[in-house]
């Protein structure tokens, strides 16, 4: 099987079965001869999905079948980004791929469209929002929402920035220290840079050489915005903490490591996700109370039992699209509305579990105000015994930040 066919099979699962790109890639990567090539091409196609849909629509009289669209997107990416592959080879390889995957009948069509693409790409739209949508490869309705919230200039800025290639890692101070980890990374010849914001974190090159450090629990990959969220909570030794939607467990583990007497109840709705939390805690050497909990259903046994309650709610994940480009594929306004109902319910339930004087944290990895500011505004209007202490929207940038929202509220003493 050719590596291009491996790419086609992965992308077919994503586009036709709505599979997660990262999971499909992981499952199929063992079939590849050149894993780096397959990874680069799959993620490259997904990152350019909106752009390539636009180009295909401009170059074809009617919408092609799904298999032909996938083939064209693979070919377009090879033409644009595979520097070691001449345009004629990119076209020929894609035509051969069409035959290899049983689409001989569309090979002539693929050949014609890709040759035309090589000669002259379609002009971009003139309307500013549409143009940005194509340039940044972000669905138009999302671009319009962002422009309404942040203005055109800021929106163009964060949609156009390239994410930092190094990944954010937190050093487990319960097992080692930052200096020791730096020395190990130097000895392994692994690229890293300082995190100027957090003295227990680094940006590192995620590679096979650092796997032993990860497996031993000396480091863990935790996003910069996730660490910011944890620090916003202000957990201190002796606190009781409830993490309502905890999987895979990064924030729960962070809280548990703050002091010897921090008690963390880490919950999720699915058994297999609880196993992920438990595995995470064992690797990092911390103790968590891990339980099954449906955060949308009130649990009277938890009433006013915690100093800190974290509602890191299910969301559209649009803030991490740079890392998970398939996030954009199957989102629409109706899906967002459904999410907001769940988010508001979880926040209401979480509030009931906060002690007097305690803290309620609401966080998402999205930028849409419907999932963020609007939820908080409505909650505070209906819960006068909570006061907003802090609220931040973090925009994606080239320095390691994802798109993220976090609000800190405190239950006033009555």
């Amino acid at each position: 099987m050719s590596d291009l066919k491996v790419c086609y099979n992965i992308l077919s699962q994503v586009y036709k079965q709505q599979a997660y790109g990262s999971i499909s890639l992981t499952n199929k990567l063992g079939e590849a001869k050149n894993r780096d090539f397959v990874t680069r091409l799959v993620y490259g196609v997904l990152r350019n999905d909106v752009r390539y849909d636009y180009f295909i629509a401009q170059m074809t009289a009617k919408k092609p079948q799904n298999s032909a669209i996938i083939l064209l997107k693979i070919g377009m990416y090879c033409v644009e980004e595979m520097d070691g592959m001449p345009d004629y080879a990119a076209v020929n390889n894609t035509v051969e791929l069409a035959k290899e995957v049983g689409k001989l009948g569309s090979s002539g069509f693929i050949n014609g469209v890709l040759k035309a693409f090589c000669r002259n790409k379609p002009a971009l739209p003139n309307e500013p929002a549409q143009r940005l949508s194509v340039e940044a490869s972000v669905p138009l309705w999302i671009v319009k929402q962002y422009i309404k919230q942040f203005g055109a200039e800021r929106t163009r800025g964060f949609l156009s920035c390239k994410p930092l290639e190094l990944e954010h890692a937190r050093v487990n101070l319960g097992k080692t220290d930052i200096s020791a980890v730096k020395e190990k990374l130097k000895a392994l010849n692994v690229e890293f840079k300082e995190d100027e914001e957090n003295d227990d974190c680094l940006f590192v090159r995620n590679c096979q050489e650092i796997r032993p450090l990860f497996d031993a629990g000396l480091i863990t990959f935790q996003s910069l915005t996730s660490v910011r969220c944890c620090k916003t909570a202000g957990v201190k030794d002796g606190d009781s903490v409830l993490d309502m939607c905890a999987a895979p467990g990064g924030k729960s583990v962070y809280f548990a490591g703050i002091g010897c007497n921090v008690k963390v109840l880490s919950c999720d709705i699915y058994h297999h996700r609880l196993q992920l939390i438990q595995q995470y805690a064992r690797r990092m050497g911390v103790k968590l109370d891990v339980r099954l909990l449906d955060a949308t259903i009130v649990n009277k046994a938890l009433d006013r039992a915690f100093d800190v309650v974290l509602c890191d709610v299910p969301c559209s994940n649009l803030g991490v699209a740079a890392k998970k480009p398939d996030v954009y594929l199957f989102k629409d306004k109706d899906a967002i509305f459904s999410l907001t109902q769940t988010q508001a319910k979880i926040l209401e339930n979480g509030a009931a579990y906060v002690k007097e004087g305690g803290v309620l944290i609401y966080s998402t990895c999205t930028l849409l105000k419907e999932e963020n500011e609007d939820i908080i505004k409505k909650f505070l209007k209906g819960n006068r015994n909570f006061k907003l202490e802090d609220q931040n929207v973090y925009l994606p940038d080239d320095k390691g930040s994802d798109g993220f929202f976090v609000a800190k509220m405190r239950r006033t003493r009555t």
Side-chain angles (χ1 to χ4, degrees):
M1 182 188 303
S2 71
D3 282 347
L4 280 178
K5 185 175 181 181
V6 176
C7 294
Y8 176 86
N9 290 340
I10 293 169
L11 290 168
S12 291
Q13 289 185 345
V14 174
Y15 284 114
K16 296 180 180 181
Q17 302 172 29
Q18 298 191 13
Y20 290 113
S22 59
I23 295 176
S24 293
L25 182 63
T26 300
N27 291 340
K28 293 285 188 180
L29 208 51
E31 301 173 12
K33 300 179 183 68
N34 187 334
R35 295 187 174 203
D36 290 341
F37 172 86
V38 170
T39 300
R40 179 184 171 191
L41 194 148
V42 167
Y43 279 124
V45 167
L46 294 175
R47 286 193 182 98
N48 287 279
D49 179 73
V50 173
R51 286 183 68 243
Y52 292 159
D53 274 340
Y54 172 79
F55 289 146
I56 292 169
Q58 296 298 306
M59 299 177 71
T60 56
K62 62 179 182 178
K63 186 176 180 179
Q65 294 182 343
N66 286 341
S67 56
I69 291 175
I70 296 170
L71 289 164
L72 286 172
K73 289 177 179 178
I74 290 173
M76 287 177 175
Y77 184 81
C78 289
V79 167
E80 287 194 319
E81 301 295 339
M82 293 299 180
D83 296 334
M85 188 184 297
D87 287 355
Y88 73 86
V91 175
N92 291 342
N93 290 342
T94 308
V95 170
E96 290 304 311
L97 173 62
K99 299 174 183 177
E100 187 179 2
V101 299
K103 303 299 177 182
L104 176 63
S106 64
S107 59
F109 168 76
I110 300 294
N111 183 64
V113 173
L114 288 181
K115 283 185 175 178
F117 182 74
C118 293
R119 290 193 301 269
N120 189 24
K121 295 178 188 176
L124 297 179
N126 291 322
E127 196 279 322
Q130 293 178 352
R131 189 181 187 91
L132 179 56
S133 170
V134 175
E135 287 178 334
S137 199
V138 176
L140 180 59
W141 74 269
I142 297 176
V143 170
K144 288 182 175 180
Q145 289 290 103
Y146 285 164
I147 291 175
K148 184 178 179 181
Q149 288 179 225
F150 304 110
E153 185 175 349
R154 290 184 76 193
T155 298
R156 176 174 290 279
F158 72 76
L159 287 183
S160 301
C161 72
K162 294 184 179 180
L164 190 68
E165 291 186 2
L166 303 182
E167 289 196 40
H168 193 258
R170 183 171 65 83
V171 175
N172 185 358
L173 300 182
K175 290 188 175 184
T176 185
D177 58 63
I178 193 83
S179 297
V181 169
K182 288 180 182 178
E183 289 303 315
K184 291 179 184 294
L185 292 174
K186 289 177 183 177
L188 293 168
N189 199 29
V190 173
E191 180 186 1
F192 71 91
K193 62 177 289 188
E194 304 285 344
D195 175 358
E196 298 178 358
E197 186 177 324
N198 302 288
D199 57 11
D200 59 344
C201 298
L202 296 166
F203 293 99
V204 303
R205 177 74 60 187
N206 188 357
C207 56
Q208 191 63 36
E209 287 76 13
I210 63 171
R211 188 73 197 189
L213 302 183
F214 178 87
D215 290 342
L218 301 181
I219 65 169
T220 192
F221 291 106
Q222 184 171 8
S223 71
L224 175 58
T225 47
S226 176
V227 172
R228 285 170 175 166
C229 177
C230 292
K231 292 194 172 184
T232 298
V235 173
K236 59 187 181 299
D237 200 19
D239 279 349
S240 56
V241 182
L242 170 62
D243 189 351
M244 293 181 66
C245 308
K251 296 181 183 69
S252 290
V253 167
Y254 182 102
F255 293 140
I258 287 175
C260 298
N261 299 309
V262 177
K263 297 180 180 179
V264 181
L265 175 56
S266 186
C267 301
D268 208 274
I269 192 172
Y270 299 113
H271 284 286
H272 73 277
R273 293 173 70 83
L274 296 183
Q275 293 175 359
L276 293 176
I277 299 171
Q278 291 166 334
Q279 290 168 4
Y280 200 146
R282 283 195 297 268
R283 180 172 62 83
M284 298 296 284
V286 300
K287 293 183 179 180
L288 300 174
D289 182 358
V290 180
R291 300 185 204 172
L292 192 71
L293 174 75
D294 185 342
T296 65
I297 299 176
V298 176
N299 189 327
K300 293 292 186 182
L302 305 179
D303 191 50
R304 301 207 182 191
F306 299 92
D307 298 292
V308 177
V309 173
L310 171 62
C311 302
D312 187 36
V313 298
C315 70
S316 61
N317 296 311
L318 298 181
V320 295
K323 296 178 180 177
K324 301 176 180 179
D326 52 328
V327 159
Y328 290 136
L329 294 183
F330 310 111
K331 294 287 190 303
D332 57 33
K333 291 182 179 180
D334 291 338
I336 301 301
F337 178 77
S338 177
L339 272 174
T340 61
Q341 310 306 300
T342 300
Q343 291 160 349
K345 184 63 176 176
I346 291 174
L347 182 59
E348 286 285 345
N349 290 347
Y353 308 145
V354 181
K355 294 179 181 178
E356 287 191 359
V359 167
L360 176 64
I361 299 290
Y362 176 88
S363 63
T364 72
C365 54
T366 188
L367 298 175
L368 295 178
K369 68 180 183 63
E370 290 83 355
E371 299 181 74
N372 296 332
E373 293 94 333
D374 289 356
I375 296 284
I376 298 302
K377 184 177 180 180
K378 183 178 179 181
F379 170 79
L380 292 173
K381 185 176 181 180
N383 294 270
R384 300 293 184 181
N385 55 334
F386 279 87
K387 300 298 181 185
L388 182 65
E389 289 191 349
D390 194 13
Q391 179 173 287
N392 287 292
V393 179
Y394 297 102
L395 299 180
D397 61 28
D398 57 1
K399 299 178 181 178
S401 180
D402 300 318
F404 199 83
F405 175 86
V406 59
K408 179 179 182 179
M409 295 157 284
R410 191 174 299 273
R411 180 189 283 276
T412 57
R413 299 185 185 276
T414 55

